[in-house]
Structure formats: structure tokens, C-alpha cells
Amino acid sequence: MTLSFKPMTTTRFVVEVEDIDLSKPVDGASVAALRKAINEHSILVFRGQTIDNDQHIAFSRNFGDLEIHTVKQYLLPDYPEIIALANRGENGTTPIDNGGAYWHTDISYKAKPPMGSLLYSLEVPPEGGDTLFADMYAAYDALDDDMKDRIEGVRAVHGYAARFSQMGEGGKRPTLSAEQLAEVPEVTHPVVRINRETGRRALYVNEGFTQGIEGMPMVESRTLVDTLNAHATQPDFVYDHRWRVGDLVFWDNRAVMHCATAYDTSYPRRMHRTTIQGDMPIA
Ligand code: OGA
Ligand code: MN
């Protein structure tokens, strides 16, 4: 199999991978090429795919062990590796209308946040319900030297409980049990994160889960997180993915933030996500 990578932005951020059928096992050389590509481009888009749950999981495992989400109510009963982002629910899962409608990187609130996520679309509304992605390497590179100095060696506090309680979802969100809360204590991560394989530096704070800067007074800390978030989400750094049925998007959580956009929820929207385990972020 020879893969081709077609740029989807004018920068190296985001490529479409052509000539690949994800329902079939992918050979070793192609897996190596995809691993190289995710480090290089941060987002890989595969279009026109038809895969079942086993195939989605099998393809994902090429990149690492899979993460099982804390909120079991969202997981497919027979496939706990798959979180269903489905506004009608699926096999009894709790419906999600607008799961990540705030800038975030998946599960940054864990000590070892996932390396990547693979989101596959099964049903999409006629318009809206896009996913926006921000290039956190480009965002870091574009900071002025004063800001780079200010955040060097600084750590941020990430948490899930506060965000989860705000999400609401029209009362459909379950509440976290004591056991679930115990799985997600606050953690700290470097604000500037280095990719172990390439040495590139990415900004690593997000609106969703970053609660503040370690050791900084609350107001100053909130202002800094907001400033960095606003900087990173400028149009120059953002790719807007307009979903078609059969798209699978594989993104690097070490290197991008993402945010779901609004849509008319009278239309069904149904997506499946697998999540690849990751390393402890390093500065
Ligand atoms: C996710 C996510 C956004 C969307 O799958 O992690 O945030 O557009 N999805 O559904
Ligand atoms: Mn997400």
C-alpha cells in the first residue's frame, strides 16, 4: 500500500490521507508512515471510510493502547473503547448534543493525557456541527519573546470536575459519582510542552480543562490562560473540519486543541471516538 498525503492547509498542519481503506489491516510500513505523519502534521483526515466498531478499534491500536473514558455512560456497552458522541444516544448511552463546544484537548486533566483521538462520523447534520482545530505549535511559535519567557518552566493546573458540572447539556449530563471523581483529581502539566520524538514546542493550555497557573494569584492566572487561549484560536492557527459521513479524523492531542461548533439539534449527529493513551507531558 502506498499512501499519499494531501495538504489541507497552507501550513504543514492537517493532511488528507488518500489511498487507504481503514476496514482492512494496515501494513507495517504504512503504520510507520502514519506515525511519522501525525508527528509532522498533527491532524490526519481519512475520507469515505466504512468501518465497524472492531475495525475502528483495530486501526486505532496501531498507535497505542486505548483509553477507557471515566464517564461510562457514554461508552458503547459492548465496546468500552468507543465513546459515542450521539445526540440521540446509542444502545442506551447518554445523549451528547454538543460534547466539546469549548476549546479543549481530550482528557488533559489526567496525569498521562491521551496522545491522540480518532473520531469517525456516522451521522451529520446538514450544516454546522463542525469541529475546529487549533495548531498549538504554530500558536507557540507566534508568541512574542516576552510571553515565551513568561511561560517557560511554568505549570498549569488541569481538572475535569469543574468543567463537567458546567456542561449541563439540558440536564442530560449524568453527575460524576464519588468513584469517578476519584479517578480525576487535579493534575499539573507544563504550559509549554515538548514532543519527545521531534523536540517541537507546543502551547499546552486549554479553555476547557485548564483551571489556572500553578502558584499564580487567581485573577492573574485566569487572565493568562484566557490570553493564551485567545491567541491560539486566532483564525491563522485554526482548521475547520466540516464533517461528511465516513470521515475519520485522527488528531494529536499533544499538539492541537479542538472545539465543536453549534448545529440544529433536531437533526441526528452521531460520531464514535477512540482515544490513544499517551505519556506524561515534558517541558
Ligand atoms: C471529541 C470532541 C467534538 C465534536 O470527540 O473529543 O470534542 O465535534 N468532539 O463532536
Ligand atoms: Mn474532545
Side-chain angles (χ1 to χ4, degrees), residues 145-167:
D145 289 342
D146 284 349
M147 184 59 96
K148 284 183 180 160
D149 286 346
R150 192 168 165 212
I151 61 178
E152 191 63 32
V154 167
R155 299 181 70 84
V157 180
H158 294 244
Y160 189 40
R163 162 58 59 183
F164 195 85
S165 67
Q166 285 165 16
M167 285 191 286

Side-chain angles (χ1 to χ4, degrees), residues 3 17 20 30-38 44 46 59 63:
L3 305 180
V17 186
I20 185 166
S30 298
V31 169
L34 293 171
R35 284 172 176 260
K36 187 162 173 277
I38 193 78
L44 308 182
F46 305 83
F59 177 63
F63 307 101

Side-chain angles (χ1 to χ4, degrees), residues 83 85 98-102 104 106 117 119 129-132 243 251 258-261 269 271 273:
I83 173 167
L85 292 100
N98 238 313
Y102 49 90
H104 66 285
D106 290 329
S117 301
L119 187 62
D130 300 358
T131 309
L132 307 176
W243 292 94
W251 67 81
H258 60 279
C259 177
T261 73
R269 184 175 190 268
M271 328 276 281
R273 190 184 93 202

Side-chain angles (χ1 to χ4, degrees), residues 208-256:
F209 306 130
T210 309
Q211 296 182 346
I213 304 295
E214 194 176 46
M216 194 179 274
M218 205 167 82
V219 173
E220 189 187 342
S221 149
R222 199 62 248 171
T223 305
L224 179 54
V225 173
D226 291 348
T227 301
L228 293 172
N229 193 80
H231 167 79
T233 56
Q234 297 176 83
D236 275 0
F237 309 132
V238 172
Y239 164 70
D240 176 352
H241 189 76
R242 304 210 167 104
W243 292 94
R244 300 176 198 154
V245 170
D247 286 355
L248 184 140
V249 178
F250 176 16
W251 67 81
D252 184 339
N253 281 307
R254 302 166 300 181
V256 310

Side-chain angles (χ1 to χ4, degrees), residues 43-74:
I43 299 180
L44 308 182
V45 175
F46 305 83
R47 294 204 124 130
Q49 302 294 326
T50 308
I51 52 171
D52 64 21
N53 296 330
D54 289 303
Q55 291 160 345
H56 187 177
I57 290 168
F59 177 63
S60 304
R61 286 210 170 114
N62 287 312
F63 307 101
D65 291 333
L66 302 188
E67 173 95 17
I68 309 291
H69 202 276
T70 296
V71 185
K72 305 293 180 261
Q73 293 93 323
Y74 298 147

